[in-house]
Amino acid sequence: MLQIFDRLSLRAILGLDAVTCLAMGGLLLAAGGLLASPLGLPEALLFYAGLVLLPVALCMLAVAVPSAPPAAGVFVVVAGNWLWVAASIALPLFGLVSPTALGYAFLAVQATAVTVLALAEQRAMARASASTAAA
């Protein structure tokens, strides 16, 4: 599945990550109140998660702008993605939230999407480092 991303540059993957982050943030801010009950997730959690995602998306875009994204910036983006995935798993696992079946599906789908983006960014960074080392 990750081979799809092998055609994309690191900048493009970071840009895609930023756009999806912005979209999810906007969705959670705009519709968190409507989603809370069907998902079984606290409205405040959805609101603040959405609020956090907006500056995160801007940071991702800032990392994506240079023709060669800085390794430290990419590392921060990837680490943040892994933390998001861990939180998505930990919240229900430790009983901090009690999602409905739809809520579990929501958490699983968004955590899977973030996992795919994190892995794609890691692979693209490795490719970029290898091409730089070969030059």
Short mmCIF file of all heavy atoms in Angstrom, two decimals, residues 13-63:
data_model
loop_
_atom_site.label_atom_id
_atom_site.label_comp_id
_atom_site.label_asym_id
_atom_site.label_seq_id
_atom_site.Cartn_x
_atom_site.Cartn_y
_atom_site.Cartn_z
N ILE A 13 4.20 14.58 0.26
CA ILE A 13 3.59 13.79 1.35
C ILE A 13 3.34 14.68 2.56
O ILE A 13 2.28 14.60 3.19
CB ILE A 13 4.47 12.58 1.69
CG1 ILE A 13 4.57 11.63 0.49
CG2 ILE A 13 3.90 11.83 2.90
CD1 ILE A 13 5.63 10.57 0.62
N LEU A 14 4.30 15.53 2.88
CA LEU A 14 4.09 16.47 3.99
C LEU A 14 2.92 17.40 3.70
O LEU A 14 2.12 17.71 4.59
CB LEU A 14 5.37 17.28 4.25
CG LEU A 14 6.53 16.52 4.88
CD1 LEU A 14 7.82 17.32 4.74
CD2 LEU A 14 6.25 16.20 6.34
N GLY A 15 2.81 17.85 2.47
CA GLY A 15 1.69 18.70 2.08
C GLY A 15 0.36 17.97 2.21
O GLY A 15 -0.62 18.54 2.70
N LEU A 16 0.33 16.72 1.78
CA LEU A 16 -0.88 15.91 1.92
C LEU A 16 -1.24 15.73 3.39
O LEU A 16 -2.40 15.85 3.78
CB LEU A 16 -0.68 14.54 1.25
CG LEU A 16 -1.81 13.54 1.39
CD1 LEU A 16 -3.09 14.06 0.73
CD2 LEU A 16 -1.40 12.19 0.81
N ASP A 17 -0.23 15.48 4.21
CA ASP A 17 -0.45 15.34 5.64
C ASP A 17 -1.04 16.63 6.21
O ASP A 17 -2.00 16.62 6.99
CB ASP A 17 0.87 15.00 6.33
CG ASP A 17 0.70 14.42 7.73
OD1 ASP A 17 -0.42 14.41 8.26
OD2 ASP A 17 1.72 13.98 8.30
N ALA A 18 -0.49 17.77 5.80
CA ALA A 18 -0.98 19.06 6.28
C ALA A 18 -2.44 19.29 5.86
O ALA A 18 -3.26 19.75 6.67
CB ALA A 18 -0.09 20.18 5.77
N VAL A 19 -2.76 18.97 4.62
CA VAL A 19 -4.13 19.16 4.13
C VAL A 19 -5.12 18.26 4.88
O VAL A 19 -6.20 18.71 5.28
CB VAL A 19 -4.20 18.93 2.61
CG1 VAL A 19 -5.63 18.84 2.12
CG2 VAL A 19 -3.45 20.03 1.87
N THR A 20 -4.74 17.00 5.10
CA THR A 20 -5.64 16.10 5.82
C THR A 20 -5.78 16.55 7.28
O THR A 20 -6.87 16.45 7.85
CB THR A 20 -5.17 14.64 5.75
OG1 THR A 20 -3.86 14.53 6.32
CG2 THR A 20 -5.17 14.13 4.33
N CYS A 21 -4.70 17.05 7.84
CA CYS A 21 -4.72 17.56 9.21
C CYS A 21 -5.65 18.78 9.31
O CYS A 21 -6.47 18.88 10.24
CB CYS A 21 -3.29 17.93 9.61
SG CYS A 21 -3.04 18.29 11.33
N LEU A 22 -5.54 19.66 8.36
CA LEU A 22 -6.39 20.84 8.31
C LEU A 22 -7.86 20.44 8.13
O LEU A 22 -8.75 20.98 8.81
CB LEU A 22 -5.95 21.76 7.17
CG LEU A 22 -6.60 23.11 7.05
CD1 LEU A 22 -6.31 23.97 8.27
CD2 LEU A 22 -6.10 23.82 5.80
N ALA A 23 -8.11 19.48 7.26
CA ALA A 23 -9.49 19.02 7.02
C ALA A 23 -10.08 18.39 8.28
O ALA A 23 -11.23 18.66 8.64
CB ALA A 23 -9.52 18.04 5.85
N MET A 24 -9.30 17.53 8.94
CA MET A 24 -9.80 16.89 10.15
C MET A 24 -10.02 17.92 11.25
O MET A 24 -11.03 17.88 11.96
CB MET A 24 -8.84 15.80 10.62
CG MET A 24 -9.29 15.10 11.90
SD MET A 24 -10.89 14.25 11.77
CE MET A 24 -10.34 12.69 11.13
N GLY A 25 -9.08 18.86 11.38
CA GLY A 25 -9.25 19.92 12.38
C GLY A 25 -10.51 20.72 12.13
O GLY A 25 -11.28 20.99 13.05
N GLY A 26 -10.73 21.09 10.88
CA GLY A 26 -11.93 21.83 10.53
C GLY A 26 -13.20 21.04 10.80
O GLY A 26 -14.18 21.57 11.33
N LEU A 27 -13.18 19.75 10.45
CA LEU A 27 -14.34 18.89 10.70
C LEU A 27 -14.64 18.81 12.19
O LEU A 27 -15.79 18.95 12.60
CB LEU A 27 -14.09 17.49 10.13
CG LEU A 27 -15.14 16.44 10.49
CD1 LEU A 27 -16.45 16.74 9.77
CD2 LEU A 27 -14.65 15.05 10.16
N LEU A 28 -13.61 18.58 12.98
CA LEU A 28 -13.83 18.43 14.42
C LEU A 28 -14.31 19.74 15.05
O LEU A 28 -15.15 19.71 15.96
CB LEU A 28 -12.56 17.93 15.10
CG LEU A 28 -12.13 16.51 14.73
CD1 LEU A 28 -10.82 16.15 15.41
CD2 LEU A 28 -13.22 15.50 15.07
N LEU A 29 -13.78 20.86 14.57
CA LEU A 29 -14.25 22.15 15.10
C LEU A 29 -15.68 22.45 14.68
O LEU A 29 -16.50 22.91 15.48
CB LEU A 29 -13.33 23.27 14.64
CG LEU A 29 -12.00 23.38 15.38
CD1 LEU A 29 -11.12 24.44 14.72
CD2 LEU A 29 -12.20 23.69 16.85
N ALA A 30 -15.98 22.19 13.42
CA ALA A 30 -17.30 22.54 12.89
C ALA A 30 -18.39 21.57 13.31
O ALA A 30 -19.53 21.98 13.54
CB ALA A 30 -17.24 22.63 11.36
N ALA A 31 -18.05 20.29 13.39
CA ALA A 31 -19.09 19.28 13.62
C ALA A 31 -18.87 18.44 14.87
O ALA A 31 -19.56 17.45 15.07
CB ALA A 31 -19.18 18.37 12.40
N GLY A 32 -17.93 18.83 15.71
CA GLY A 32 -17.66 18.06 16.93
C GLY A 32 -18.89 17.86 17.78
O GLY A 32 -19.11 16.77 18.33
N GLY A 33 -19.70 18.90 17.90
CA GLY A 33 -20.93 18.79 18.68
C GLY A 33 -21.89 17.77 18.11
O GLY A 33 -22.56 17.04 18.85
N LEU A 34 -21.97 17.70 16.80
CA LEU A 34 -22.85 16.73 16.14
C LEU A 34 -22.28 15.32 16.18
O LEU A 34 -23.04 14.35 16.23
CB LEU A 34 -23.09 17.14 14.68
CG LEU A 34 -23.82 18.46 14.44
CD1 LEU A 34 -23.81 18.81 12.96
CD2 LEU A 34 -25.23 18.38 14.98
N LEU A 35 -20.95 15.21 16.16
CA LEU A 35 -20.31 13.90 16.12
C LEU A 35 -20.17 13.25 17.49
O LEU A 35 -20.07 12.02 17.59
CB LEU A 35 -18.91 14.02 15.49
CG LEU A 35 -18.86 14.42 14.03
CD1 LEU A 35 -17.43 14.70 13.60
CD2 LEU A 35 -19.47 13.33 13.17
N ALA A 36 -20.15 14.06 18.54
CA ALA A 36 -19.85 13.54 19.88
C ALA A 36 -20.78 12.39 20.28
O ALA A 36 -20.29 11.32 20.70
CB ALA A 36 -19.94 14.68 20.90
N SER A 37 -22.05 12.57 20.15
CA SER A 37 -22.99 11.53 20.59
C SER A 37 -22.89 10.25 19.76
O SER A 37 -22.75 9.17 20.32
CB SER A 37 -24.41 12.08 20.58
OG SER A 37 -25.31 11.10 21.05
N PRO A 38 -22.95 10.34 18.42
CA PRO A 38 -22.86 9.09 17.64
C PRO A 38 -21.52 8.37 17.81
O PRO A 38 -21.46 7.15 17.73
CB PRO A 38 -23.03 9.54 16.18
CG PRO A 38 -23.53 10.93 16.22
CD PRO A 38 -23.24 11.49 17.57
N LEU A 39 -20.44 9.13 18.08
CA LEU A 39 -19.12 8.51 18.25
C LEU A 39 -18.88 8.06 19.69
O LEU A 39 -17.98 7.28 19.94
CB LEU A 39 -18.01 9.48 17.82
CG LEU A 39 -18.01 9.92 16.36
CD1 LEU A 39 -16.87 10.91 16.11
CD2 LEU A 39 -17.90 8.72 15.43
N GLY A 40 -19.66 8.61 20.61
CA GLY A 40 -19.45 8.29 22.02
C GLY A 40 -18.17 8.92 22.56
O GLY A 40 -17.56 8.41 23.50
N LEU A 41 -17.78 10.03 21.95
CA LEU A 41 -16.57 10.73 22.37
C LEU A 41 -16.97 12.10 22.93
O LEU A 41 -17.91 12.72 22.42
CB LEU A 41 -15.61 10.90 21.18
CG LEU A 41 -15.08 9.61 20.57
CD1 LEU A 41 -14.33 9.88 19.28
CD2 LEU A 41 -14.19 8.87 21.56
N PRO A 42 -16.27 12.56 23.95
CA PRO A 42 -16.63 13.85 24.54
C PRO A 42 -16.50 15.00 23.53
O PRO A 42 -15.52 15.08 22.77
CB PRO A 42 -15.61 14.03 25.67
CG PRO A 42 -15.09 12.67 25.95
CD PRO A 42 -15.17 11.91 24.66
N GLU A 43 -17.49 15.88 23.55
CA GLU A 43 -17.48 17.01 22.64
C GLU A 43 -16.23 17.87 22.85
O GLU A 43 -15.62 18.35 21.88
CB GLU A 43 -18.74 17.87 22.84
CG GLU A 43 -18.84 19.02 21.87
CD GLU A 43 -20.14 19.79 22.02
OE1 GLU A 43 -21.08 19.33 22.69
OE2 GLU A 43 -20.22 20.89 21.42
N ALA A 44 -15.83 18.06 24.10
CA ALA A 44 -14.64 18.87 24.40
C ALA A 44 -13.38 18.23 23.79
O ALA A 44 -12.51 18.94 23.27
CB ALA A 44 -14.47 19.04 25.90
N LEU A 45 -13.29 16.91 23.84
CA LEU A 45 -12.13 16.22 23.24
C LEU A 45 -12.08 16.49 21.74
O LEU A 45 -11.02 16.82 21.19
CB LEU A 45 -12.21 14.72 23.50
CG LEU A 45 -11.16 13.87 22.79
CD1 LEU A 45 -9.77 14.15 23.34
CD2 LEU A 45 -11.50 12.40 22.90
N LEU A 46 -13.21 16.38 21.08
CA LEU A 46 -13.26 16.61 19.64
C LEU A 46 -12.93 18.06 19.31
O LEU A 46 -12.17 18.34 18.38
CB LEU A 46 -14.64 16.23 19.08
CG LEU A 46 -15.02 14.76 19.23
CD1 LEU A 46 -16.44 14.53 18.73
CD2 LEU A 46 -14.04 13.85 18.52
N PHE A 47 -13.46 18.99 20.10
CA PHE A 47 -13.20 20.41 19.86
C PHE A 47 -11.71 20.72 20.02
O PHE A 47 -11.09 21.34 19.14
CB PHE A 47 -14.03 21.28 20.82
CG PHE A 47 -13.70 22.74 20.72
CD1 PHE A 47 -14.25 23.52 19.71
CD2 PHE A 47 -12.81 23.34 21.61
CE1 PHE A 47 -13.93 24.87 19.60
CE2 PHE A 47 -12.49 24.68 21.51
CZ PHE A 47 -13.05 25.45 20.50
N TYR A 48 -11.13 20.31 21.14
CA TYR A 48 -9.72 20.64 21.39
C TYR A 48 -8.78 19.89 20.46
O TYR A 48 -7.73 20.42 20.07
CB TYR A 48 -9.36 20.45 22.86
CG TYR A 48 -9.95 21.55 23.70
CD1 TYR A 48 -11.00 21.29 24.58
CD2 TYR A 48 -9.51 22.86 23.59
CE1 TYR A 48 -11.57 22.30 25.34
CE2 TYR A 48 -10.08 23.88 24.33
CZ TYR A 48 -11.11 23.59 25.20
OH TYR A 48 -11.67 24.60 25.94
N ALA A 49 -9.14 18.67 20.07
CA ALA A 49 -8.34 17.96 19.07
C ALA A 49 -8.36 18.74 17.76
O ALA A 49 -7.32 18.92 17.12
CB ALA A 49 -8.88 16.54 18.87
N GLY A 50 -9.53 19.21 17.36
CA GLY A 50 -9.63 20.02 16.14
C GLY A 50 -8.84 21.30 16.25
O GLY A 50 -8.16 21.71 15.31
N LEU A 51 -8.91 21.94 17.40
CA LEU A 51 -8.18 23.19 17.63
C LEU A 51 -6.67 22.98 17.54
O LEU A 51 -5.96 23.80 16.95
CB LEU A 51 -8.57 23.75 18.99
CG LEU A 51 -8.22 25.20 19.28
CD1 LEU A 51 -8.90 26.13 18.28
CD2 LEU A 51 -8.64 25.55 20.70
N VAL A 52 -6.19 21.88 18.07
CA VAL A 52 -4.75 21.57 18.03
C VAL A 52 -4.30 21.28 16.61
O VAL A 52 -3.18 21.63 16.23
CB VAL A 52 -4.45 20.37 18.96
CG1 VAL A 52 -3.09 19.77 18.69
CG2 VAL A 52 -4.57 20.78 20.42
N LEU A 53 -5.15 20.65 15.83
CA LEU A 53 -4.75 20.25 14.48
C LEU A 53 -4.48 21.43 13.54
O LEU A 53 -3.69 21.30 12.60
CB LEU A 53 -5.80 19.33 13.87
CG LEU A 53 -5.85 17.92 14.46
CD1 LEU A 53 -7.02 17.15 13.89
CD2 LEU A 53 -4.55 17.18 14.23
N LEU A 54 -5.11 22.57 13.78
CA LEU A 54 -4.92 23.70 12.86
C LEU A 54 -3.48 24.23 12.88
O LEU A 54 -2.85 24.32 11.82
CB LEU A 54 -5.94 24.79 13.15
CG LEU A 54 -7.41 24.35 13.00
CD1 LEU A 54 -8.33 25.51 13.27
CD2 LEU A 54 -7.68 23.72 11.65
N PRO A 55 -2.90 24.57 14.04
CA PRO A 55 -1.50 25.00 14.01
C PRO A 55 -0.54 23.87 13.63
O PRO A 55 0.51 24.12 13.04
CB PRO A 55 -1.24 25.52 15.43
CG PRO A 55 -2.33 24.98 16.27
CD PRO A 55 -3.50 24.73 15.36
N VAL A 56 -0.91 22.65 13.95
CA VAL A 56 -0.07 21.51 13.54
C VAL A 56 0.00 21.45 12.01
O VAL A 56 1.08 21.24 11.43
CB VAL A 56 -0.61 20.19 14.13
CG1 VAL A 56 0.06 18.98 13.49
CG2 VAL A 56 -0.40 20.17 15.64
N ALA A 57 -1.13 21.67 11.35
CA ALA A 57 -1.15 21.67 9.88
C ALA A 57 -0.26 22.78 9.33
O ALA A 57 0.47 22.57 8.35
CB ALA A 57 -2.58 21.83 9.37
N LEU A 58 -0.30 23.94 9.96
CA LEU A 58 0.56 25.05 9.51
C LEU A 58 2.04 24.70 9.70
O LEU A 58 2.87 25.03 8.84
CB LEU A 58 0.21 26.33 10.26
CG LEU A 58 -1.17 26.91 9.95
CD1 LEU A 58 -1.45 28.14 10.81
CD2 LEU A 58 -1.30 27.25 8.47
N CYS A 59 2.37 24.05 10.79
CA CYS A 59 3.76 23.61 11.00
C CYS A 59 4.18 22.60 9.94
O CYS A 59 5.30 22.67 9.43
CB CYS A 59 3.94 23.03 12.40
SG CYS A 59 3.85 24.25 13.71
N MET A 60 3.29 21.69 9.60
CA MET A 60 3.59 20.71 8.56
C MET A 60 3.85 21.42 7.23
O MET A 60 4.79 21.06 6.51
CB MET A 60 2.44 19.71 8.40
CG MET A 60 2.31 18.74 9.52
SD MET A 60 0.83 17.73 9.27
CE MET A 60 0.96 16.61 10.63
N LEU A 61 3.03 22.41 6.93
CA LEU A 61 3.23 23.16 5.69
C LEU A 61 4.57 23.89 5.72
O LEU A 61 5.28 23.93 4.71
CB LEU A 61 2.10 24.15 5.47
CG LEU A 61 0.79 23.57 4.97
CD1 LEU A 61 -0.30 24.64 4.94
CD2 LEU A 61 0.95 22.94 3.60
N ALA A 62 4.93 24.45 6.86
CA ALA A 62 6.22 25.14 6.98
C ALA A 62 7.38 24.19 6.75
O ALA A 62 8.38 24.56 6.12
CB ALA A 62 6.34 25.80 8.36
N VAL A 63 7.26 22.97 7.21
CA VAL A 63 8.31 21.96 6.99
C VAL A 63 8.35 21.57 5.52
O VAL A 63 9.43 21.31 4.96
CB VAL A 63 8.10 20.73 7.89
CG1 VAL A 63 9.04 19.59 7.53
CG2 VAL A 63 8.26 21.11 9.37
#
